[in-house]
Amino acid sequence: MANQQPAAIRRPIVVRLLAVQIAVVVLMIGVSGWTHGASGALSSLKGGLVCLLPGFYFAWRAFRLQGARHARQIMTNFYRAEAGKFGLTVALFILIFAAVPPSNPAYFFCAYVAALGVHWLSPLLVKRTTSP
């Protein structure tokens, strides 16, 4: 009889999603810098950060626990993480437009939407796998 061990479920690999978002923002910074100079690149950087920072917060807050015995706390963490992500996004938009407005709002919003659009790829990027 072979040594049977229960399958271990690994945590969701959200690092892939965040890495692709970073790559998209870097690509947007490069394109806007090439077409509109340093001011365009800075505007894209600001837009990318408004999307990335709340995403990092959500990943940190939501995926701290795992296991069936923590199910209630995991759900609470997801709700709190989503509320915090929303609040942080609003605060960053206010901060950017009040303190350091982007010189090119088109690049700002393009970088934000491009990074946000990576979430459409999340079923492909974040997979739950079981190890044998």
Side-chain angles (χ1 to χ4, degrees):
M1 184 164 119
N3 187 3
Q4 296 285 333
Q5 294 181 356
I9 298 176
R10 295 179 4 204
R11 289 184 180 202
I13 307 172
V14 296
V15 175
R16 288 183 191 166
L17 179 65
L18 295 173
V20 171
Q21 279 187 313
I22 290 170
V24 166
V25 170
V26 168
L27 178 68
M28 290 298 297
I29 291 169
V31 167
S32 60
W34 183 59
T35 60
H36 201 261
S39 64
L42 188 58
S43 293
S44 289
L45 174 65
K46 291 174 187 177
L49 287 177
V50 169
C51 185
L52 289 174
L53 293 177
F56 286 134
Y57 172 79
F58 179 85
W60 169 74
R61 181 77 184 199
F63 296 110
R64 293 188 312 183
L65 297 173
Q66 69 178 2
R69 73 182 92 143
H70 299 291
R72 185 178 303 262
Q73 194 170 3
I74 289 170
M75 285 306 301
T76 301
N77 282 351
F78 263 81
Y79 288 125
R80 286 183 180 167
E82 188 59 38
K85 179 181 173 183
F86 179 75
L88 186 56
T89 302
V90 170
L92 287 172
F93 267 111
I94 291 170
L95 178 70
I96 292 292
F97 282 102
V100 283
S103 61
N104 192 330
Y107 285 125
F108 174 86
F109 285 111
C110 283
Y112 176 78
V113 169
L116 197 62
V118 171
H119 286 285
W120 285 86
L121 302 174
S122 62
L124 302 173
L125 299 172
V126 180
K127 295 181 181 179
R128 279 202 166 283
T129 58
T130 57
S131 60

